[in-house]
Amino acid sequence: MRATPDASDSPIVAGGVPDLRLAGLAVSAWLTALAGLHLGAATVLLAAVLAAVFSAAGALHLVGVLGRPGRRARRHGWIAVAVGLGIVCGGTVGAARLVVRDAEALRSLAEQRASVTAELVVRDDSRPVRGNSGRPATLLVTTELVALTEPDGRRLSAPVQVLVLAAHPAWQGLLPGQRLTAQGRLGVPRGGDLTAAVLSASGPPVRRGAPSWAQRAAGSLRAGLQRACAPLPDEQGGLLPGLVVGDTSRLLPTVEEDFRATGMTHLNAVSGSNVAIVVGAVLLLARWCRAGPWLAAGLCGVALVGFVILVRPSPSVVRAATMGAIGLAALAAGRPRAALPALAAAVTVLVLLDPALAGDAGFALSVLATGGLLLLAPRWRDGLRRRGVPSGLAEALAVPAAAQLACTPVVAGISGTVSLAAVPANLLAVPAIAPATVLGVLAATVSPIWPAGAEFAAWLASWPAWWLVLVARYGARLPAGTLPWPGGVWGALLLAALTVALLVAVRRPVVRRLVAVVTVAAVLGTLPVRLVARGWPPPGWVVVACAVGQGDAVVLPVAAGRAVVVDAGPEPGAVDGCLRRLGIREVPLFVVSHYHADHVGGVAGVFNGRRVAAVLTPSRREPEGGQDLVEAAADAGQARLLTASVGGAYRVGGAELVVLGPPYPLRGTRSDPNNNSLVLRVTVAGVRILLPGDAESEEQRALLDRLPLGALRAEVLKVAHHGSAYQDPEFFEAVRPAVALVPVGTGNTYGHPHPELLARLARDGVRVLRTDTDGDVAAVHGEGGLAVVVRGTPAGRQP
C-alpha cells in the first residue's frame, strides 16, 4: 500500500518556507548574465567588482570579524553573500565571453561587410524563416567559428558564435557537430546574445568530415520516425515528430496556429516535460520490477542519455535534460527536498557555462516550469487529495496547472496576451501527451530494425495526437480565449508580482473564498458580453493589418463576413488565423501586390474554407515561383484571374479600390519586383487608405512625378516594405497620414522598421502601429472620428 505523502516528501522545508538557500546565487548570476548581453562587458565587470567587495564584507561579518550577528542577521547575511557571489560569477564569466564576442578584429570585418571564407562547426538544427527576397525561405544556422580567411589571405581564429543566413538547399540537411567551410559576406548582429557576426552565405557549404556518431544516430532515428509517420493523416503525421523530438518540418500551419492560440506550443519543443515523460516511463517499469533506488536511477540515466541522442544533443536539448536530471538526483539521494536546491545549482552552472541562455525565453520557460512543479504542484496535489480527489486525477490536475501558472508571466511578456484557454486546454491535453510521446519514442527506436513495428507504434500514437489536434482546434475557436496584457519585460514582471501576491494571499481561507467568488463573477459577467459583442473585430473597422510575421496581409471589410484581402503573408496558417478572428467567410476579391514569398506564401490560407471569387494580379509576373503559387491556388479554388491596370477602379460592396501604380514598368532599380508593386488607394466608409505594397524610393518617386497633386492623400497608410529605410521623404509629405500601419515580423534580421523612419513619423504626429509589437492592428471610424485598435483592446485610441 502506498504511504500518504507528508511534509518531508515535499520540496518545502518545515514551516512552509521553500528551501531557497541557493536561489539567490542562481537568480543573481542569471540576471547579471542577462544584463551583460545588453549592457556590455565593462558594465557587468564593474558590477562584479562592487559585488565582490560587498560579499567579502558580508562574509567577514558572518564569521565574526566585524561583529557577531544574530540569528536573523546571519540568515540575511548568507542570502546577501549568495547574491553577491552570483553577481561576481555571472559578471566575470559573462564579461569574459563578451570580450571575445566584441573583439576588434572581427567586429571591424563585420562592420566593413567583408567577404570571407569561414571554417565553422554547426551547433543546432537549421531554422527556415520567410523573407522578402523572393525566395521561398532563408535558413538560419547557428554555428561556432573555427577560423576565417580574409580576401588578402590573413587568417583570424576566435571561438565565437556566428549566425549563418543561407538560401542554398544544401544547408538544410546539416547535422549539429558538422564541420564545414563556407564563403560569404560578414554583417553586424542585432545584439542581445553571444552572436559575434552574421555570415550571409553565397553558396553551398563544403563539408569537412562527418558529424559525431551520436549526431548520425540521431539523424537516422529521426528519419525513421518521419518514415513511420508518413502513412498517417497530415495533421497527426506532422504533429507526432514535433511531440517526440521537436521536428516541426511537416507540421501544418493551421495546426501550428491553433496550438499557439491555446498555449500548447510548448508541446512541439523538446523540454523538461519530454524528458520527464520518457524517464518516468522507465522509472515506472523499474519500480514494477522492484528495482532499488540506485538501480532505478541508473536505468533512468541510461534512458536520459538515449533520449538526448535521439533528439540531438543541441544546447536546448542539453538544457531540457539538465532539468530532467534534477529529479534523478533527488531520487538517487532519497531526498525529494533536495530537488529545489538542485534546480538552483543547475541554473547557476548552465548560465555560467553558456551566458547566452540568460536571454533565451526557452530557458526561462524550462526553469519556471520545473520550479512550478517543485514548489506548487506537490501542495496542490496534496490539497486535492485531502478534499477527496483521487490520487491520479489530483496529480493530473496539479502538474499542468502549476507549470502553466509559473510560465504565464514570460508568455504574457512575449505575446502581450494572457490566454484564458491555456490552462483548460493543457489539462485536457494531459492524458494524451504521455502515450503519444512514449509510443513515438518507441517508433523512432525500432525504426532502423523493424520498420513495420515502427509504423504500428506510430499508428497507435496517432490517436492521442488526434486528441491534441482536436483540443487545440476547438480551444482556438473559443470567444474571449485571450486577454490583452502589457508586453515586454515590464509586463512580465507585473504579472509575476501579481501572481506571487495572489499565491501568498490565497493561503488564508477567507481570501481563497473571496478570490473564487470574484473569479466566478468575472467569468459569468464578462463572457456573455464578449459572446454578444466581442472586442475583436472592433465595431466600425475599416482596415486591419494582420500579424503574419515578416510579411503583408491587409483586410478591408465590404459586408458582414465578407472582405477584400490584399496579400497573404508568408505562411497559410497566419493569414487564415487572422481571417478567422475577423469572421471572414467569403473573399470577393484577393489582390496580389507582387509575387514575393512574404506576400503570397500564405495564399492557401486565404482559400482555406472560404470562397474567393476573383484574384487581381500585377502585370509584371516575377518571381515565377510566386506566380505559380497564386495561379495554382486560384485554379484549385475556381477563382477568376484578373490583371490590374493603372487607373483601374474596382467597387466591392462598401469598398472602392483604385490602382495608382506603378505608373510605368521600372527596370534596373534596387529591387524591380518591389518597385513594380501594385499601389492601391482604397476608400472604406469615407476613410482613404493607401496600400503601396513594397514600393521603394524609386517607385515612390515615379508616383510623385506622374500623379496629380493630392492623389496620394490618405488618412491611413500601410507603410511600404515593412518600414525599410528605402523611402522617399516627399512621399510621406504627399500622403500626410494620421495613422501608419507597419506589418513586420518579430526579431527580423533586416532591421525593419528603420528607426529613422519611425522617428520621422513620430515627428509628424502620426500614430504608428506595428504588428510585431501590437499583433493584429485596425483603424476604425466612428462618431468620434478615426481611431486605432490593437487586437484585444476594448476601445480605440485616438490617433
Side-chain angles (χ1 to χ4, degrees):
M1 187 173 74
R2 186 173 179 179
T4 301
D6 57 23
S8 64
D9 294 322
S10 172
I12 308 294
V13 300
V17 179
D19 186 357
L20 301 177
R21 290 169 292 182
L22 296 179
L25 175 68
V27 173
S28 58
W30 186 354
L31 294 180
T32 304
L34 177 61
L37 295 175
H38 296 276
L39 301 179
T43 303
V44 293
L45 195 58
L46 177 60
V49 172
L50 295 176
V53 174
F54 286 111
S55 297
L60 292 174
H61 182 64
L62 286 172
V63 299
V65 174
L66 300 180
R68 299 187 62 82
R71 179 178 297 179
R72 177 171 302 203
R74 186 180 293 112
R75 184 167 63 246
H76 293 165
W78 280 118
I79 294 175
V81 170
V83 170
L85 184 60
I87 296 175
V88 171
C89 295
T92 304
V93 174
R97 296 289 295 273
L98 291 169
V99 167
V100 176
R101 181 197 71 176
D102 299 331
E104 179 61 30
L106 184 59
R107 176 66 62 171
S108 176
L109 290 174
E111 291 175 348
Q112 297 170 14
R113 295 190 55 80
S115 296
V116 298
T117 300
E119 299 176 31
L120 307 166
V121 177
V122 178
R123 287 305 177 209
D124 209 344
D125 292 316
S126 59
R127 294 176 288 123
V129 294
R130 297 285 178 178
N132 58 355
S133 60
R135 297 168 179 168
T138 297
L139 296 174
L140 302 183
V141 187
T142 302
T143 66
E144 182 177 338
L145 178 66
V146 177
L148 59 82
T149 305
E150 301 179 48
D152 59 5
R154 287 185 298 176
R155 186 178 175 86
L156 174 65
S157 298
V160 295
Q161 181 174 301
V162 172
L163 179 65
V164 178
L165 304 181
H168 197 281
W171 288 88
Q172 181 72 53
L174 296 176
L175 296 176
Q178 174 73 60
R179 193 180 181 111
L180 54 89
T181 301
Q183 294 182 337
R185 189 177 294 276
L186 288 179
V188 178
R190 65 181 182 183
D193 55 22
L194 291 180
T195 302
V198 176
L199 178 69
S200 298
S202 57
V206 178
R207 305 191 186 198
R208 306 293 183 186
S212 66
W213 69 268
Q215 296 289 358
R216 295 198 302 273
S220 174
L221 293 175
R222 291 162 70 98
L225 177 61
Q226 286 281 11
R227 288 193 298 271
C229 294
L232 301 177
D234 290 342
E235 290 182 331
Q236 296 96 297
L239 175 62
L240 196 56
L243 291 174
V244 178
V245 296
D247 181 2
T248 58
S249 58
R250 290 182 53 206
L251 184 65
L252 294 182
T254 52
V255 176
E256 184 179 11
E257 174 67 21
D258 289 343
F259 269 59
R260 184 181 298 112
T262 51
M264 295 168 60
T265 306
H266 61 92
L267 299 180
N268 289 321
V270 177
S271 65
S273 62
N274 299 71
V275 176
I277 289 170
V278 174
V279 173
V282 175
L283 178 59
L284 288 176
L285 182 62
R287 285 182 172 175
W288 182 73
C289 297
R290 300 184 182 279
W294 284 104
L295 177 58
L299 293 174
C300 290
V302 172
L304 181 63
V305 173
F307 184 70
V308 169
I309 292 176
L310 170 64
V311 298
R312 292 183 179 166
S314 61
S316 60
V317 175
V318 172
R319 176 196 71 214
T322 303
M323 295 296 110
I326 293 170
L328 287 181
L331 171 66
R335 297 177 59 198
R337 286 191 303 172
L340 200 58
L343 172 62
V347 170
T348 305
V349 172
L350 287 172
V351 168
L352 295 183
L353 289 176
D354 185 6
L357 286 176
D360 184 359
F363 176 71
L365 291 173
S366 291
V367 173
L368 290 173
T370 306
L373 297 180
L374 296 176
L375 282 171
L376 303 176
R379 305 189 73 173
W380 292 0
R381 174 201 62 199
D382 296 344
L384 291 172
R385 286 176 179 174
R386 287 193 297 269
R387 288 162 176 79
V389 179
S391 176
L393 181 59
E395 193 91 29
L397 291 173
V399 168
Q404 189 68 39
L405 182 66
C407 294
T408 295
V410 173
V411 175
I414 295 172
S415 64
T417 60
V418 176
S419 176
L420 300 183
V423 172
N426 279 275
L427 288 175
L428 290 172
V430 165
I433 297 172
T437 302
V438 173
L439 289 169
V441 170
L442 179 63
T445 304
V446 303
S447 61
I449 56 176
W450 191 17
E455 289 188 8
F456 179 69
W459 178 79
L460 291 176
S462 70
W463 290 101
W466 169 82
W467 172 251
L468 295 174
V469 171
L470 205 65
V471 169
R473 179 183 302 160
Y474 285 99
R477 296 176 182 176
L478 287 175
T482 58
L483 294 179
W485 189 265
V489 175
W490 292 111
L493 292 176
L494 175 61
L495 186 56
L498 292 176
T499 302
V500 172
L502 184 62
L503 289 173
V504 172
V506 297
R507 297 176 67 182
R508 298 180 177 273
V510 175
V511 178
R512 273 203 304 271
R513 296 189 187 98
L514 180 62
V515 170
V517 171
V518 171
T519 301
V520 172
V523 172
L524 294 178
T526 61
L527 188 56
V529 174
R530 289 183 174 272
L531 285 171
V532 175
R534 293 179 295 169
W536 193 263
W541 66 286
V542 294
V543 60
V544 164
C546 297
V548 293
Q550 184 67 7
D552 271 23
V554 176
V555 186
L556 305 156
V558 297
R562 303 174 70 237
V564 172
V565 179
V566 181
D567 291 330
E571 299 286 350
V575 67
D576 182 31
C578 179
L579 293 175
R580 280 195 292 166
R581 292 189 291 270
L582 292 168
I584 303 303
R585 301 180 301 275
E586 183 179 347
V587 179
L589 182 65
F590 171 58
V591 183
V592 177
S593 68
H594 64 297
Y595 288 111
H596 272 164
D598 58 332
H599 290 250
V600 299
V603 63
V606 178
F607 282 80
N608 186 30
R610 299 176 190 86
R611 179 180 179 273
V612 180
V615 178
L616 183 65
T617 64
S619 57
R620 183 171 181 128
R621 301 180 177 274
E622 62 176 6
E624 293 182 359
Q627 175 193 353
D628 295 341
L629 194 65
V630 171
E631 291 181 351
D635 182 62
Q638 298 182 348
R640 292 183 298 130
L641 280 172
L642 308 174
T643 301
S645 59
V646 177
Y650 306 85
R651 178 174 289 277
V652 185
E656 182 180 355
L657 295 80
V658 178
V659 180
L660 300 181
Y664 53 86
L666 282 87
R667 299 287 187 271
T669 66
R670 202 192 70 88
S671 171
D672 286 353
N674 285 346
N675 282 305
N676 285 278
S677 294
L678 290 184
V679 178
L680 304 175
R681 187 184 65 216
V682 185
T683 304
V684 179
V687 177
R688 289 170 294 182
I689 305 154
L690 189 66
L691 306 177
D694 274 359
E696 297 181 349
S697 52
E698 293 93 338
E699 185 177 3
Q700 293 175 9
R701 171 49 55 183
L703 290 168
L704 292 169
D705 293 341
R706 292 295 182 93
L707 294 178
L709 186 66
L712 293 173
R713 180 76 178 90
E715 289 80 20
V716 180
L717 169 68
K718 194 284 299 183
V719 177
H721 200 185
H722 321 296
S724 77
Y726 302 103
Q727 313 275 348
D728 192 317
E730 294 185 17
F731 182 77
F732 292 101
E733 294 178 4
V735 180
R736 289 186 293 163
V739 174
L741 309 179
V742 187
V744 63
T746 302
N748 70 86
T749 58
Y750 306 101
H752 299 162
H754 197 273
E756 292 184 7
L757 172 64
L758 297 178
R760 175 184 177 83
L761 293 171
R763 286 195 304 269
D764 292 343
V766 181
R767 171 61 62 88
V768 179
L769 299 180
R770 301 165 45 173
T771 60
D772 61 337
T773 57
D774 299 317
D776 298 341
V777 293
V780 301
H781 182 65
E783 295 180 358
L786 189 63
V788 294
V789 181
V790 299
R791 183 188 167 199
T793 302
R797 294 172 291 180
Q798 294 300 323

